[in-house]
Structure formats: structure tokens, C-alpha cells
Amino acid sequence: MTVTDTVRLATIGAGRIGGNHAGLVARHVPGAALAAVADPVPGAAERLAASLGAPYATTDPAAVLGRDDIDGVLITAPARAHTDLVVAAAAAGKHVFVEKPMAVTLEDADRAIAAARDAGVVLQVGFNRRFAPGFAAARAAVDDGRTGTPQLLRSLTRDPGPFTADPARIPRWTIFLETLIHDFDTLCWLNPGAAPVRVHATADALIRPDAKADGHLDTAVVTIRFDNGAIATAEASFSALYGYDVRAEVFGSGGMVTAGSGRSTDMTYYGPEGMHADTARRDTDLLRPAYLAELTAFADAIRHQAPPPVTGHDARRALAIALAAIRSVETAAPVDLAEVTA
Ligand SMILES: NC(=O)c1ccc[n+]([C@@H]2O[C@H](COP(=O)([O-])OP(=O)(O)OC[C@H]3O[C@@H](n4cnc5c(N)ncnc54)[C@H](O)[C@@H]3O)[C@@H](O)[C@H]2O)c1
């Protein structure tokens, strides 16, 4: 591929985030085209492909992987399908962007990493927060040394409420494996060069206490100790009535940076009843520039045969923290990362 060639991408999984990513690739990612959509639910791929002018739709992801006119795939299927799709895509010589979590076991994470390495394809993981302008500026301040020695870090995710989903349809431990996994990556990324060593988690069903007996958890706090001494907290809720809210903070010997405000614009309305700021109801609205930037980076990594900015190893590290947090809840005790990764 030369640098002027169009990067031809296919979406595997035409649900909520697959539709978002397919739309960005079809209309906004420079030098990329949406070449195909696959989804096993009859009609789902056809509808998305037709709405975006993609030439090919199928219910069979393997059919996409067998095509010569596709350079890379976006794996946006449910979490537990990710690893097998990464392995199949890599074996077919396709570059891979996979949504988080790349895997839900460390064995599967290793399998995905090895498959991409052996095939020599790009493997990028969907930790989009790194690409949000405020988060990227926070990391730049850390890199410049402006925050000094990191002491305290924070990252939070609050999904927009009210929570209306059926808890029975949410896989067990989702709050760690699919929600807080973003925060675990953010905290590691904002503390570059340091390794997480110890995790202590507490979680509950405060939004749907009636579902707790079936294993549902919707509220959690995790503390993470790093080998450079820094102490980090990650927290999540499935129901913030004011909107979607993601934020991060690094506090160190030289100062502090924060990123994210929960505001969807920087407009403030001042009126008789006080001040009002707008918030977003969807991640795809609040973090739209971040999704566009991560997909642009994926296309660039393919075009330039360059390492992707978020790797399979980054995904494995965040997963290890999630697995340690799960064990910490199960045992009501702190967990050394070494216990999980051994
Ligand atoms: N990075 C982010 O901000 C972000 C946001 C939302 C979701 N996600 C992640 O994206 C993934 C999908 O989430 P979603 O909300 O779009 O789910 P969804 O249920 O809306 O969509 C999943 C789609 O995949 C299809 N599918 C099921 N099995 C498949 C298979 N084996 N091969 C191909 N397609 C298959 C389903 O029919 C469905 O259309 C999850 O891992 C989730 O954690 C990431």
C-alpha cells in the first residue's frame, strides 16, 4: 500500500458502536472508505451498509475476511466474540481495530496479541479517551514534567441515566470488564513508565439493588497502587442523571492536570435561575472527536505500516487490572497484580 491509497475498512458488528464507527469511516476519516459491513442478525448489516453507501453487506464475518478488497476490520461485536474475530482477521491478513475489551481472559489476550504479531498486522484497541483533546493535553503536561512526580491519579466513568437496561441482559462483571477498563487504561497511560502492582475494589448495586442477588453491580470504586508510588482511584456508575461524564486527573509534586468536564460544549447559560451547562446523553456525542481521531490513527497506522498508538499489550494490562478488581470484590481483600498474571 502506498501513502496515497485509500484504506478500505469493514465493520464486523453493526450495533451501536459499530454504526458509529462505520459512519465515521464512511464520511469523516481522511483517506479511508467503508468497504463492507458484517453482522449475523439478518438485515442489520444491509441496513447499515445501505445507509452509508458501503458496497457489500453480509451476515457472515468470515465472508468479509475472505475478500481481497478489504485492508482492515473494525471489530465491534460483543466483548466475548472479540478474541476469535481478532485471531481470524489476523490469520486472513487483515489489520485489526478491536473495541474494548480485546479479551476477557489473559489467555485470550495473549492469543490475540500473538495472532497479530505472527501475521504482521496492525492491532489497535478502542481506548478512545486517549484521543480526546483534553486527555491528550493532560498526558502532554505529564510528559513535559509539569505535574512533577505523580502522587494521586483519578479517572471516572458515569454512564448517562436513568438506567433503564434489564440487568439480566448485562453480562456479569461488566462494570469492570467493559466500563472501568477505560479508566484502568487511562490511569496507566497518564502514569507512563509505571506498572500497576496492587488493586483493591469495592462494588455494589446501588441503582438496582433488587438485581444484586443475581450478580448485578452498577457502582464501583477501585484503588490501584503503582510501582512508582502513585495511588490511583477509578470509579464508575451506570446512572448519572445529568448525562455522560468521563473525567481524569493527575496530581503530582509539580501541579495538577484535569481532563473532561462532563460538559458537551463550553457554553454556559446565565439566567434568572442561575447558570446552566449542557451535557451529553451519549458517549458518541461527548467523545466524537476522540472516536474520529482513533479511527484516523488506525487508518494511518495501516497506510504507514507504523505501530498503532494503542496496542494489544495496553489492552492486556488494563484487563489484568479488571481481573484483579473482580478477584478483590470476590475476596473482599486487596489483590496483587502478580496473583492474577502469574
Ligand atoms: N469505546 C467505547 O467507547 C465503546 C462504546 C460502546 C461500546 N463499546 C464496545 O463495543 C462492543 C459492542 O458494543 P455495542 O454497544 O455496539 O453492542 P451492540 O449490542 O449494540 O452491538 C453488537 C453487534 O454485534 C453483532 N454481533 C453479535 N455477535 C457477533 C459476531 N460473532 N460477529 C459479528 N457481529 C456480531 C450484534 O448482532 C450487534 O449488532 C462492546 O465490546 C462494547 O464494550 C465501546
Side-chain angles (χ1 to χ4, degrees):
M1 159 166 290
T2 70
V3 289
T4 54
D5 284 341
T6 298
V7 176
R8 301 158 300 178
L9 300 176
T11 302
I12 298 181
R16 195 175 74 82
I17 209 69
N20 176 70
H21 291 2
L24 289 172
V25 166
R27 294 181 174 145
H28 300 287
V29 175
L34 183 67
V37 180
D39 193 297
V41 172
E46 284 79 358
R47 278 192 298 278
L48 183 60
S51 73
L52 295 170
Y56 181 70
T58 175
T59 52
D60 179 12
V64 162
L65 301 180
R67 292 182 72 93
D68 291 335
D69 59 354
I70 289 167
D71 304 305
V73 295
L74 312 178
I75 296 174
T76 51
R80 281 154 187 80
H82 288 178
T83 305
D84 286 346
L85 288 168
V86 171
V87 171
K94 306 303 181 196
H95 300 287
V96 179
F97 173 95
V98 60
E99 260 309 334
K100 53 80 197 170
M102 179 182 74
V104 297
T105 66
L106 293 178
E107 294 73 21
D108 271 359
D110 290 337
R111 210 156 58 82
I113 291 166
R117 183 198 58 221
D118 294 349
V121 297
V122 171
L123 173 59
Q124 184 176 326
V125 183
F127 290 130
N128 54 309
R129 245 168 249 188
R130 296 182 180 205
F131 298 84
F135 282 69
R139 168 64 194 256
V142 170
D143 287 343
D144 287 353
R146 278 181 279 165
T147 48
T149 305
Q151 295 165 346
L152 294 167
L153 295 98
R154 278 210 284 175
S155 178
L156 67 83
T157 304
R158 296 184 190 150
D159 290 336
F163 178 80
T164 53
D166 176 1
R169 296 176 65 88
I170 299 174
R172 202 173 166 87
W173 304 119
T174 287
I175 197 163
F176 296 110
L177 292 169
E178 299 201 44
T179 305
L180 280 160
I181 198 130
H182 276 300
D183 302 276
F184 301 149
D185 176 68
T186 298
L187 291 167
C188 292
W189 175 70
L190 287 175
N191 192 8
V197 290
R198 198 166 167 80
V199 170
H200 196 180
T202 182
D204 209 332
L206 300 183
I207 300 157
R208 287 292 305 270
D210 56 306
K212 187 176 178 182
D214 295 324
H216 175 71
L217 296 169
D218 51 36
T219 307
V221 176
V222 183
T223 61
I224 303 160
R225 200 68 206 251
F226 284 86
D227 66 357
N228 64 349
I231 303 170
T233 35
E235 63 153 86
S237 165
F238 283 177
S239 188
L241 289 186
Y242 55 85
Y244 187 63
D245 186 8
V246 299
R247 285 178 267 150
E249 188 174 293
V250 180
F251 173 94
S253 60
M256 177 176 78
V257 286
T258 69
S261 66
R263 300 170 68 122
S264 57
T265 75
D266 60 8
M267 183 275 275
T268 308
Y269 167 70
Y270 298 76
E273 304 198 336
M275 298 187 294
H276 171 85
D278 290 326
T279 60
R281 307 312 302 184
R282 285 190 295 249
D283 47 4
T284 46
D285 291 333
L286 185 68
L287 294 171
R288 187 179 182 284
Y291 289 113
L292 177 56
E294 70 174 351
L295 294 170
T296 301
F298 177 55
D300 286 347
I302 295 174
R303 192 179 293 110
H304 300 295
Q305 298 176 19
V310 188
T311 67
H313 292 284
D314 295 334
R316 188 188 194 281
R317 179 179 58 186
L319 173 63
I321 298 174
L323 296 173
I326 290 168
R327 190 176 294 181
S328 176
V329 169
E330 286 176 326
T331 58
V335 173
D336 286 336
L337 256 288
E339 291 175 42
V340 173
T341 54

